[in-house]
Amino acid sequence: MVKITKEAALDYHDSGRPGKIEVKPTKAYRTQTDLSLAYSPGVAFPCLEIQENPDDAYRYTDKGNLVAVISNGTAVLGLGDIGALSGKPVMEGKGLLFKIYGGIDVFDIELDEKDPEKFCESVERIAPTFGGINLEDIKAPECFYIEERLKRTLDIPVMHDDQHGTAIISAAGLKNALEVCGKDITKVRVVVNGAGAAAISCTRLYMALGVHKENILMLDSKGVITSEREDLNEQKRIFATDRRDVHTLSDAINGADVFVGLSKGNVLTQDMVRSMASNPVIFALANPVPEISYEDAMAVRPDILMATGRTDYPNQINNVIGFPYIFRGALDVHATAINEEMKMAAVHAIADLAKQPVPDVVNDVYKVNNLHFGRDYFIPKPVDPRLISEVSAAVARAAIESGVARKTIYDWEAYKRSLTILLGQETKLTQKLYATAAAHPQRVVFAEAIHPTMLKAAVQAKAEGICNPVLLGNDEVITKLAQSLDLSLDGIEIVNLRHPCEQERRERYAQLLTKKRQRDGYTLPEANDKMFERNYFGMMMVETGEADAFITGLYTKYSNTIKVAKEVIGIRPEYRNFGTMHIINSSRGPIYISDTLVNANPTTDELVDIARLSATAVRFFNEKPVIAMVSHSNFGSDGSEGTRKVRLAVERMQQEYPELAIDGEIQLGIALNRELRDNQYPFSRLYGKKVNTLVFPNLTSARSSYKMLQALDADVEIIGPIQMGLNKPIHFTDFGSSVRDIVNITAVAVIDAYVGKIKKRINGAEKE
């Protein structure tokens, strides 16, 4: 874990623009008309609509996506009562987490008011602004009264996250931990060290899950909470035990099954841990120093199932696993409250998610490759991208079923998809690709199945129904790798091309390739040797129709792969060249970039082919191509040789394809700025159109452009390289491709193969 210093923290908050969150416009504002619509006089119309129907505020304003994070600074982290203003950095941080994990806008509000009555009155007066209220860092017992009152008086969700966030996540963890160690929740003995807001809420939720009250011992700073004590508030009295034989933590924990620490660091000793029952569950949640360190606990009881609040140990109890998604689900159905049914739905959704296969992105973040449900993983990781769709949907459904929703969701799968789009995990384009591919799965060969990333991608593509994978490589090596990665190869074919049983196929492929290339100097012995290479063998599987598509590129140099593709598959007869395209999925929509892999310094003829291929590829994705031929000059402003070839290519394309929106040479910035382009160059064939396709003059500029975007903007999704112009679906990957990148390319390859089959049938029918 990186050590956080005071200097580093202050520098983080001080650098650049002060603060961690900002407000950004969501509507057009550049023209006078825009401003007149946004404010006076246009704004009067939605005001009157809302006056007529208050629920229209969810339609015409940000109310349905706006949460107030409100605190009076009386219990800020472990700092205590530091005041409202001093707590503002924490509230801004909470707003940041709401936004990046839930896509929810936040105003942080620091109220300089300790009186619970006046605090509630202030919140009640500003509540119409918001779709939900997140109470934060308010000390007990006042926090209990404040939350209960606001839940009664307001018609929007109110939740004190310090109480319920920890309760929901730890309850999910407890449910799963007891399942792992085979213990009955109705029989376990639970010790809760701490009696503040979080401890009270946690214990209530554990009871709702099935823990019996008589099996719970709770401790505060004075020891075990017993019924004989006279210093108990209303909340503590609920959990007072009638036992007279327990007073200290050492007394309470002897023989206990579960310890939940919500107190302070280093209060649980190794001797206490030794005294617990077999397979003890320890949640040491004091932060940053837990009640006992992970190392000390494991040293004396290796049978422990342990969770902490820290990122550097297994099973982190982190509120961010819950609150963004709970509010997301509540907001999306315009809920009037966050009730017990919604909290319990979140518990079960989080618990169930930990039992599902872990996505590769999570393994990559934690530098592991075999996370699976068990002692070291019974709580989902905070970075798990599935949390928003699973938890939010469960909460929204519970809100509808329990009667607190003002809006109903009918298509739950569509709702889940919208959530992944909201956070940029997927786009409409990738969803469309996946859905189309899954409707027509094809037989896809993965050349480098002994590469962990390629193997994971093949298994994932199979799981998502995109294709029927064929893995090329040594079957024993692939099987061992799959076991080490905890991947199931059920239903997946492995072809060991070097195995003696494949001799007949190698020889047959060699004869076919020799016949095809005999006028290019090929001999049969040479072709036989090539069939021991995965790219030659795999592409021949596609060439002969024994497979539908082929994925390669993680190991092999591009130059070699391109050479093999030309020899085995060949270029479509209507072209002299082939190329590749990358799709940049951004907030402005997809942008198609060519050529990104094949042609280093294309001639005019080659640029014409690349432009033609690009137009065809964009139509493949059901878009109308609007192509800018990019250069460093605009329409003849520079007469150098580099711009001349672009200009000549444009002239030929415009002559041969008069209906196509294509123009250049043009600078990149001008091409993408429609207003500026139209003002300065109204004669352009691009006038009034939004450019969606960029053809670059050379490989360096094309590749640098999309790589720069990829490096600078984490929200940009890159799909590619997508091959254009080969006779059959042979698709390449980049050396640094992720599992998701390869699955994306696989979806494209599947659609490519399916469309090719349809065209072949149509052409065959026309000939008949």
Side-chain angles (χ1 to χ4, degrees):
M1 184 176 181
V2 178
K3 181 175 175 60
I4 302 300
T5 64
K6 174 182 177 181
E7 291 75 16
L10 293 178
D11 183 63
Y12 170 85
H13 285 80
D14 183 53
S15 62
R17 175 175 174 161
K20 295 190 283 286
I21 54 178
E22 66 175 335
V23 176
K24 286 187 174 182
T26 61
K27 300 289 190 295
Y29 58 87
R30 296 186 183 278
T31 68
Q32 185 59 47
T33 301
D34 293 336
L35 297 177
S36 296
L37 290 168
Y39 196 53
S40 180
V43 74
F45 295 104
C47 290
L48 294 173
E49 293 294 309
I50 293 169
Q51 183 185 34
E52 184 79 18
N53 177 18
D55 282 350
D56 276 349
Y58 288 97
R59 178 180 179 184
Y60 294 118
T61 76
D62 192 34
K63 179 182 175 74
N65 196 51
L66 186 62
V67 165
V69 174
I70 304 181
S71 177
N72 62 4
T74 54
V76 179
L77 301 177
L79 305 175
D81 186 353
I82 63 173
L85 182 60
S86 300
K88 182 174 174 61
V90 178
M91 306 314 130
E92 285 188 355
K94 195 65 174 281
L96 177 76
L97 297 177
F98 263 112
K99 187 66 176 180
I100 64 175
Y101 287 110
I104 296 170
D105 297 325
V106 162
F107 289 156
D108 63 291
I109 297 174
E110 292 72 39
L111 285 180
D112 189 12
E113 181 57 71
K114 294 183 179 181
D115 182 279
E117 292 289 341
K118 294 180 180 178
F119 183 95
C120 289
E121 289 171 5
S122 298
V123 175
E124 287 161 355
R125 290 190 176 100
I126 64 173
T129 305
F130 302 99
I133 304 289
N134 180 96
L135 299 171
E136 192 79 14
D137 292 352
I138 303 168
K139 73 181 182 72
E142 289 89 337
C143 63
F144 299 114
Y145 170 79
I146 289 171
E147 185 189 46
E148 288 303 317
R149 168 169 162 172
L150 292 177
K151 286 169 68 174
R152 289 195 312 271
T153 59
L154 299 181
D155 65 347
I156 57 175
V158 177
M159 188 173 87
H160 184 208
D161 187 49
D162 298 321
Q163 295 183 57
H164 307 297
T166 303
I168 289 166
I169 314 309
S170 66
L174 179 63
K175 178 178 183 291
N176 280 351
L178 293 176
E179 181 177 329
V180 170
C181 64
K183 292 190 176 184
D184 184 346
I185 196 169
T186 64
K187 297 178 181 178
V188 294
R189 292 176 52 197
V190 179
V191 174
V192 180
N193 195 57
I200 297 293
S201 184
C202 285
T203 311
R204 285 174 173 167
L205 201 51
Y206 301 160
M207 289 171 60
L209 269 180
V211 175
H212 288 189
K213 182 179 176 182
E214 60 268 22
N215 291 338
I216 298 170
L217 293 176
M218 182 178 287
L219 296 91
D220 60 11
S221 59
K222 297 179 181 178
V224 176
I225 297 175
T226 62
S227 55
E228 62 186 2
R229 285 177 50 179
E230 298 181 357
D231 59 342
L232 304 178
N233 60 33
E234 179 183 350
Q235 287 75 30
K236 291 182 182 181
R237 195 172 297 116
I238 296 172
F239 300 103
T241 180
D242 292 329
R243 291 177 57 181
R244 299 291 185 266
D245 60 330
V246 288
H247 299 283
T248 66
L249 179 57
S250 182
D251 297 336
I253 204 167
N254 187 22
D257 297 286
V258 178
F259 169 85
V260 179
L262 294 151
S263 51
K264 60 182 181 179
N266 298 322
V267 297
L268 187 66
T269 68
Q270 289 183 317
D271 284 339
M272 293 178 188
V273 174
R274 287 190 186 96
S275 73
M276 294 180 72
S278 62
N279 292 306
V281 176
I282 294 182
F283 289 1
L285 305 183
N287 226 343
V289 181
E291 283 77 4
I292 185 171
S293 72
Y294 182 83
E295 293 83 0
D296 285 350
M298 297 303 295
V300 294
R301 292 295 296 271
D303 60 338
I304 284 176
L305 288 88
M306 188 166 181
T308 69
R310 295 177 53 141
T311 59
D312 50 346
Y313 295 112
N315 302 311
Q316 184 191 16
I317 305 288
N318 189 327
N319 284 20
V320 79
I321 295 173
F323 70 82
Y325 315 116
I326 294 166
F327 272 94
R328 178 76 274 159
L331 290 171
D332 288 341
V333 294
H334 304 170
T336 58
I338 293 174
N339 57 26
E340 296 307 309
E341 291 88 346
M342 295 159 74
K343 295 176 195 172
M344 191 58 73
V347 170
H348 290 297
I350 293 167
D352 290 345
L353 189 58
K355 301 173 188 177
Q356 298 178 22
V358 179
D360 189 68
V361 64
V362 177
N363 286 321
D364 287 347
V365 168
Y366 290 90
K367 309 301 180 187
V368 297
N369 55 27
N370 59 350
L371 278 178
H372 61 275
F373 184 65
R375 288 180 181 272
D376 291 330
Y377 177 74
F378 51 79
I379 302 167
K381 297 293 187 181
V383 298
D384 195 317
R386 302 167 299 173
L387 283 163
I388 188 168
S389 55
E390 297 302 317
V391 179
S392 299
V395 170
R397 189 187 294 272
I400 293 169
E401 293 176 351
S402 62
V404 297
R406 285 175 282 208
K407 176 184 175 183
T408 299
I409 294 173
Y410 297 101
D411 188 338
W412 289 98
E413 288 306 312
Y415 173 59
K416 288 184 177 182
R417 288 195 299 271
S418 72
L419 293 174
T420 62
I421 291 173
L422 176 69
L423 292 192
Q425 296 167 14
E426 291 185 16
T427 63
K428 291 181 179 179
L429 175 60
T430 53
Q431 285 192 355
K432 187 176 181 180
L433 291 177
Y434 280 39
T436 305
H440 311 284
Q442 304 289 304
R443 183 172 161 84
V444 178
V445 178
F446 292 83
E448 298 141 331
I450 58 173
H451 192 295
T453 304
M454 187 71 84
L455 183 59
K456 291 177 185 177
V459 172
Q460 186 168 325
K462 167 76 172 176
E464 297 195 27
I466 290 172
C467 73
N468 299 310
V470 178
L471 309 179
L472 275 191
N474 186 296
D475 50 327
E476 293 183 3
V477 173
I478 292 172
T479 301
K480 287 180 181 178
L481 178 60
Q483 290 173 347
S484 70
L485 298 174
D486 197 29
L487 299 174
S488 172
L489 298 181
D490 290 346
I492 296 179
E493 180 183 353
I494 302 175
V495 173
N496 186 344
L497 60 100
R498 294 174 178 268
H499 196 278
C501 70
E502 294 295 340
Q503 181 177 347
E504 182 278 327
R505 181 152 49 169
R506 289 196 304 269
E507 291 176 353
R508 176 163 51 88
Y509 287 172
Q511 290 172 354
L512 291 170
L513 183 59
T514 302
K515 184 177 180 180
K516 184 175 184 178
R517 292 297 178 188
Q518 59 191 2
R519 291 292 180 177
D520 297 319
Y522 257 69
T523 64
L524 183 58
E526 181 184 6
N528 271 314
D529 288 342
K530 292 183 183 299
M531 289 311 126
F532 285 93
E533 298 179 27
R534 55 179 173 263
N535 281 332
Y536 276 100
F537 187 94
M539 290 189 200
M540 282 302 299
M541 291 181 71
V542 177
E543 175 68 8
T544 59
E546 293 173 19
D548 301 307
F550 180 75
I551 308 292
T552 187
L554 282 181
Y555 282 135
T556 316
K557 289 183 179 179
Y558 294 134
S559 57
N560 182 61
T561 307
I562 291 167
K563 174 179 176 291
V564 177
K566 286 181 178 179
E567 291 178 5
V568 177
I569 301 299
I571 297 170
R572 286 162 56 183
E574 62 267 38
Y575 300 102
R576 294 182 180 180
N577 307 278
F578 83 103
T580 61
M581 168 184 282
H582 276 76
I583 304 175
I584 311 298
N585 260 326
S586 68
S587 58
R588 78 186 301 278
I591 301 175
Y592 304 87
I593 293 181
S594 302
D595 165 38
T596 53
L597 187 64
V598 178
N599 301 283
N601 191 25
T603 63
T604 296
D605 289 342
E606 289 168 339
L607 280 174
V608 169
D609 258 8
I610 292 169
R612 292 171 60 211
L613 288 165
S614 299
T616 301
V618 173
R619 293 189 190 101
F620 175 84
F621 292 103
N622 290 322
E623 285 208 63
K624 186 175 182 179
V626 180
I627 304 174
M629 300 284 281
V630 179
S631 183
H632 65 270
S633 65
N634 292 307
F635 302 106
S637 62
D638 185 297
S640 64
E641 179 61 28
T643 60
R644 185 172 177 273
K645 68 175 184 180
V646 178
R647 195 176 314 127
L648 291 174
V650 171
E651 289 175 2
R652 283 179 50 186
M653 288 295 296
Q654 290 184 341
Q655 289 171 4
E656 296 175 22
Y657 304 96
E659 78 290 347
L660 180 64
I662 183 170
D663 217 330
E665 82 281 15
I666 187 170
Q667 293 176 356
L668 180 60
I670 301 293
L672 296 178
N673 187 332
R674 181 166 60 186
E675 183 178 353
L676 180 60
R677 186 185 68 234
D678 287 355
N679 285 336
Q680 293 197 10
Y681 307 105
F683 59 83
S684 169
R685 194 179 282 193
L686 304 175
Y687 184 84
K689 296 179 173 63
K690 180 180 177 182
V691 169
N692 60 12
T693 309
L694 303 170
V695 176
F696 284 82
N698 54 56
L699 183 60
T700 299
S701 57
R703 196 163 181 80
S704 298
S705 295
Y706 88 79
K707 285 289 187 182
M708 181 178 68
L709 283 171
Q710 190 175 35
L712 292 179
D713 191 346
D715 294 331
V716 167
E717 180 187 33
I718 309 290
I719 301 176
I722 299 162
Q723 75 89 356
M724 308 180 296
L726 289 174
N727 275 318
K728 293 188 179 179
I730 306 300
H731 286 267
F732 313 113
T733 61
D734 278 326
F735 288 116
S737 292
S738 68
V739 170
R740 178 53 63 183
D741 292 335
I742 299 173
V743 176
N744 287 345
I745 288 295
T746 303
V748 173
V750 167
I751 300 169
D752 194 1
Y754 176 69
V755 171
K757 289 181 178 180
I758 296 297
K759 288 181 178 178
K760 189 174 180 180
R761 284 194 216 115
I762 292 172
N763 291 337
E766 288 176 349
K767 288 179 182 179
E768 291 177 5

